[in-house]
Amino acid sequence: MPVVSLTINGTSVVKDVAANTLLVQFIRDELGLTGTHVGCDTSQCGACAIHVNDMPVKSCTMLAVQADGCKITTIEGLAPDDNLHPMQQAFHEHHGLQCGFCTPGMVMTAVAFAKDNPDATEQQVRRALEGNLCRCTGYQNIIDAVLDGAKAMREAG
Amino acid sequence: MNKTKIGQSVRRTEDFRFLTGQGNYIDDIKLDGMVFAAVLRSPHAHAIINGIETADAEAMDGVLLIVSATDWQAEGYGTIPSKSATRTKIDGSPFAEPPRHCLAIDRVRYVGEPVALVVAETISQAREAMEMIDVDYQPVDSVTDPKKAVEDGAPLVWDDIPGNICLDFQLGDKEGTDTAFAEADHVISLDLVNNRLTAVPIEPRGAIASYDAATDSFLLYNSTQNVHANRDTFAEKVLNISSDKIHHIAPDVGGGFGAKNGAYPEPPLILHAARKLNRPVKWINDRAESFLSDTHGRDQVSRVELALDKDGTFRALRTETIGNLGAFCATVGPFTATGGSARTQGGPYAFPTMSYSSRAAFTNTAPTDPYRGAGRPEATFQVERVIEYAASKLGFDPATLRRQNLMPTDSLPLKTSMGLDVDCGDFPQVFDQTMKLTDRGGYADRSAASKAAGKRRGFAIAPYLECTGGAPKEYAGVTFHSDGSVDLAVGSQSTGMGHETALPQILASKLGISQDRIRYIQADTDATPHGGGHGGSRGLELGGNAVGQSAGLVIDKAREFAASQLETSVDDISFEDGLFRAESTNRSISMDEVIEASFGDDLPDEFEPQFLNTGSSFERGIISIPNGCHAAEVEVDIETGEVSIDGYWVVDDFGTIINPLLADGQVMGGIVQGIGQALSENIVYDDENGQLLSGSLVDYALPRADMIPRMVIGYYEGAPTAKNPLGVKGAGEAGCVGAPPTIINAILDALRDFGVNHIEMPATPEKIWRAIQDTKLSA
Amino acid sequence: MYEFNYQNPASVDAALAAHQDADDGLFLAGGQTIVTVMKQRLAMPSDVIDLNGIEDLRGITTRDSVISIGSMTTHADVAANADVRRLIPALSDLAGMIGDPHVRNRGTLGGSIANNDPAADYPAAVVALGATVHTNQRQIDAGDFFTNLFETALEEGELITKVDFPGPEKASYEKIHNPASRFAIVGAFIAKFRDGVRVAVTGAGPCVFRLSEIEDALNADFQAAALDGITVSSDRLNSDLHASAQYRAQMITVAARRAVTKAGQGDRT
C-alpha cells in the first residue's frame, strides 16, 4: 500500500493509503476533517474544493496518493484560531451561505481567487465561481462576500 | 449581550459552524460498528421481475445482508401511503393509490426504483456485491409522457388502474366560466408545459439507522425535512411498530427544497437492516442516484384559456391540466397537480369566474412530489403566459393589460372562485413600485444599443400571488436553565433558511433577553411532541407564530411573578423591552431577573420551580397570501439563442419581515431556481425506453454565478395580515413562483420583431434559435 | 473505484517501462477526466502511472515564434504564461475557458489531447495552429493526430512529451458553451498564417475537423462577411440533449464569423 506524506492545515501527516482512495475520502474518512463535502460525482459542484499547494482544486478529482509531498489546506485550516478569516467573516456579514453545504468549497475557492486578484471586478468574481454550485443563495450574496472579503484580505496584508 | 429585535437583519448563529467546516451533515456522522448499505436500483423503466439471484453477491467479502422483495414481504411490512389532500375523483370515488412498497415486488416501474438492499462492512464492498446480484428482468412497454399515458392503448403502469389515471379533479365555477367564455369578446387559448425538474440540494439524501435490542427501539439520523410525519409513516405504516419506537433526528441538512420532505423507501430498508444485524447501517445516495430517486417536481401539461372583453377586462380563466405523478403516488403526489395548482389560479387578478380541471396520471418515471412552490409556480406561469399571449395576439400593452385587471385594493378581502381567501394586499401599489425600479425611461436607448450589437432586448413584468401550505399546526417549547441558557425547541425545520437565527430572534425580541442565550433545537422527535417540519413557506408563519405564542405565555407567567414580587396586581404590570413595571409605583423587575428567580429556593407557594418553562401549539386558521411582482430585462443573441439577463427587480409583500437579510436570501435563491427552470433545467426521459437522459450535472444545467443578474429586491409592508399574530405571510417559495414567466415573457418580448409568441421551458439557446428560424421560414 | 497498482515515476523512461510491465496500464495526467471515469467504475486499469512527478514534461519555452508546451503543463499555466499571451493570445484565452478554475489547476494539455473528448477545446487549437505533437517515439502532425471519437494516433504505451505551437499572425477561439458541462457545443479556432488560414471546429462532430470551404473564403478575404452564404452540413454532426446537429451546423458558421472578427481586432502585427 502506498504511503502518503503531506502537510494538512500546518500539520504533518504520514499514512498508508489505498491507491484507489480519493483525496476527499482521505481527508474526510482518514483524517476526520469532514468540513470538505461531496455533492456530486462528475466533478461539477465544487463542494469538495480545497487548496493544494495554495491552488484551489476539487479534492474529489484527485487521488490521495497524488497529494504526496503537497501542502493541503482545508476549510478547517483557514483560520486556525477561534477567529474567522476575513473571507469567512465577509460571508457571514453578507449572508453568503444558507444550508452551508457548498460553503467550504465556495470559501476555499474565493480565498485562493482573492489572493491572486485583490482588485477583482464583479464579473471576474462570477467567472471565478464557475466551478462552485450553490442551490440556496442565488449567488448574489456570495459575490458580494467575495468582493468584500478580497478587500479585507488585502487590507489585512 | 445581543438584544435583538424583530425586523433586524441579525446575522446568523449557524454560520460559524458552516463557515469553519464544523457542520454536522449526515455523511459526517460516524457511529461505532457502523456498516454501509447500497441500493440496487432498476435499470429498466418497466419490467417484470422473474427472479433475483443473490447467492453470488452474498458470498462476497464483507457482505453482511442482502434484502430483496421476498425477504421484505416475509416480514409483513406495509407500504408508504400518500397523504395527498385531494383524495377523491370528481365522481366521489377514492383516488387510485397503488401500493408503494420499499422494494419492487414483482415489477419495476421506473428507472431507479429500489430492487434490493446490500449491506457490507465498507461501501466499496456493498457496491461491488451489488454488481453481482442477478435480476431476471423482462422489459415491457413503458410510457413516460403524461399526455401519451392517458391516451387509449397506452401501456399501463398499473394493470388495475385504467388509463393510468390516478384521479380527476375540478374546482371553481365550471358553468359560470363556460358561460363567460361563450359571451366574451375574445377567447385566447394557449397550450403550455411546465417542465419537469429536480431539486438538486447540493447534499444528496442519506440516513443512518441504529437499533437498540434492549429497548427494541431505533435511532434514525436522516437528511430529511420532516422528522415527525416520516417517523410515523416508517413506524406505523411500514414497520408495524409504534411511533415511539423510532427516535428520528435530522442533523444539519444541506438543502432540500421539498425533495427531502416526503417519506422515502430507503430509511425503512436500513431500519430493518439495523435490527437484523444489530449494527448501525448507513446509506447515502451519490448524485447519480439522487437524480434517479429523489422525487421530481412540476411536469404538467396544460391548456389555459382567457376570456376578455374588447377593452381588456378579464372575464374568466379556464385551465385544464394533465399532471405527471410518476410511477407511484408520492407523499403529497396527486395534490400538486390538483388542489395545489388550483387554489391560486388567476393570481392577483380580478377574475369574476374561473374553472380548473385536471387529471393526475401515472407514467414510468420517478414519483413527483413538491418542489419549491408546488403548484403555485405552475398556476402563476399559466396565467402570466396566457395574459402575455393575449396581449401579443390582440395588440394590448402587456403591462397595462395586467395593471388594469389587478384586484383593486378596496375589493379585499375577497374569496376567489377557487375558494382562496385573499385577505389583504395592495397589488396595484406593488406593481407600480416594481415598475418604478426598472428604469423604463432608459429602456428605448438600451434596446437600440442591443439591436445595434445584433441582439434584441426584452422586458416583462409579472405580478404573482401565492399561498402558504404544509402542516397547519406547530409547536414551540421554551425551557430555561440555571446557567442562564434557554432552549427553544420547535417542530418546524430549517434546511438553510436561517430559523436557527430568526426563531430565537423572535423569542429574544419578545422576552427582551439576549439572543446569545438561546439554544435552538429542531428536527428531533424527542424534542417536541409534534412538528410539521418544512414545507409551504410555513417556517415563520407557523414556527414563528408558535414561538411568539409560547413567548407570550412565558411573559404571562413572568408577569404574574412580577406582580407578586412588586406587590401589585397583574393588571398594573406593563412589559416592554424586557422590563416589567408596576405602573402605580414605578417599581420594576427585568425578565432576566424573573428567569433567575425561577430557579431560586424561596419561591412563593403558587410558583413551581422553573415555572417559566412553556410549550404550546399554534394552529393556522387560513393559509396566508404572500404576493408581489417580478420584472426583468433580457438580451437575446439572435444568432445563437443565448440569453443574458440584464436586470431583475422584485417587490414582495410578505407582511411582517422578521429578518430582512434572511428574507432577501430566500427571494434570491428562489428567483435563481426559477431562472433555472426557465432557461436551462430539464429532467428528460427517453421517450422510447424510459431511460433518464439528464441524470447528472453534466446534463442537468443548474444556474451558475455567471448566469445571474444583479437582483434588486424591495418589500411592501403596507398590508399586514391579521391571519396570524406576527402578521407573517410566508417568504420561502415566492422567488421561484414569480421568476419563470417573467423570464419567458421577457424573452418573447425580445423576439417581438420575429413574431415569436410562445416558447416552452427551458428556453434553451437552440429552442430560441429554432423559434426564430421557424418564423423566418414561414415568413 | 476498482483497485489498482499506483506508480509515480520520476522520468519518462521510467513511466514507459512501468506501462510496458503493466497488464493494463493507464497514464494519469491531470486526472480531470480519468479520475471521474474511474470513480464511476467505468475503467479498471491494473496500474495507474502518474505523470505528475515528471518535471521534464512541464514547462513552456519559446524559440523564434514557436511555443513549446510540455504535455503536463496545466491549463492555468498556459492561460497565464506571458509568452503565450504575447504570441498566441487565442491559445491563452482557450486555456482559460476550459472547465472551471479547479479543472484548470490540474488538467493538462497532454491529458486533454490524448483523451480526445469530442467537446474538448484544445483539439481545435492544435489543428488550427498546425501544431506538432511530440511523443517519446516520434513527431505527429496535428492533422494526423486526432483520428476518431476518443481516439488518437497514439500507440499503446506512447507518451506525449510536448506540443509545439507555431505563432500565427492572427488567431481567435469562439466557444459556444454547453450550459451544464461547460464543454463546447461548438468551438471554432481560426488561425491566419502567412501561408494561409486554418479553421478547426470542436464540439460539433465526433472528432475535431477542418472546414475547407471556410478556409478558402477566408484565404480570399479575411473577414466575417466573406463567410456570407456559407452553410455547413449537419450530416455526421453530433445530436444530443443539448444541441441538435442542425443547430451545431449553424453555430459553426456563427462561431467562425465571430472568431474572424475577434481575430481581426486582436491583430498583433
Side-chain angles (χ1 to χ4, degrees), chain C residues 141-177:
Chain C
D141 281 343
D144 298 326
F145 184 80
F146 303 101
T147 53
N148 211 335
L149 183 72
F150 291 108
E151 276 176 35
T152 66
L154 291 173
E155 282 164 17
E156 188 62 36
E158 187 174 5
L159 198 58
I160 303 172
T161 53
K162 64 177 181 166
V163 182
D164 287 345
F165 292 91
E169 288 176 352
K170 302 178 207 236
S172 180
Y173 180 60
E174 186 75 18
K175 175 176 178 179
I176 292 170
H177 290 74

Side-chain angles (χ1 to χ4, degrees), chain C residues 153-234:
Chain C
L154 291 173
E155 282 164 17
E156 188 62 36
E158 187 174 5
L159 198 58
I160 303 172
T161 53
K162 64 177 181 166
V163 182
D164 287 345
F165 292 91
E169 288 176 352
K170 302 178 207 236
S172 180
Y173 180 60
E174 186 75 18
K175 175 176 178 179
I176 292 170
H177 290 74
N178 175 323
S181 68
R182 301 281 163 126
F183 275 88
I185 282 184
V186 164
F189 199 108
I190 296 192
K192 181 177 195 302
F193 293 90
R194 193 155 18 134
D195 61 355
V197 176
R198 299 164 69 95
V199 175
V201 171
T202 185
C207 187
V208 59
F209 55 87
R210 284 173 63 179
L211 282 164
S212 47
E213 199 184 347
I214 293 187
E215 287 176 358
D216 291 344
L218 294 177
N219 274 322
D221 181 14
F222 193 77
Q223 61 170 325
L227 303 183
D228 284 352
I230 292 184
T231 56
V232 173
S233 166
S234 62

Side-chain angles (χ1 to χ4, degrees), chain B residues 564-593:
Chain B
S564 155
Q565 290 297 102
L566 301 178
E567 297 169 306
T568 182
S569 71
V570 163
D571 298 327
D572 188 37
I573 302 284
S574 67
F575 179 65
E576 202 182 319
D577 280 338
L579 200 66
F580 293 98
R581 183 186 307 282
E583 295 288 303
S584 56
T585 60
N586 221 28
R587 289 170 65 194
S588 63
I589 179 172
S590 70
M591 176 63 83
D592 288 337
E593 288 168 311

Side-chain angles (χ1 to χ4, degrees), chain B residues 299-318:
Chain B
D299 202 347
Q300 296 184 12
V301 181
S302 306
R303 170 160 298 171
V304 193
E305 296 175 295
L306 177 66
L308 60 165
D309 285 346
K310 332 190 233 297
D311 67 354
T313 305
F314 294 165
R315 285 281 152 227
L317 182 72
R318 182 164 61 198

Side-chain angles (χ1 to χ4, degrees), chain C residues 42-73:
Chain C
L42 296 172
M44 296 182 61
S46 64
D47 291 70
V48 168
I49 299 147
D50 193 339
L51 304 175
N52 282 279
I54 306 176
E55 282 312 305
D56 285 348
L57 294 179
R58 287 190 206 283
I60 301 175
T61 56
T62 310
R63 206 166 82 157
D64 300 325
S65 59
V66 174
I67 299 194
S68 190
I69 302 181
S71 60
M72 285 301 291
T73 310

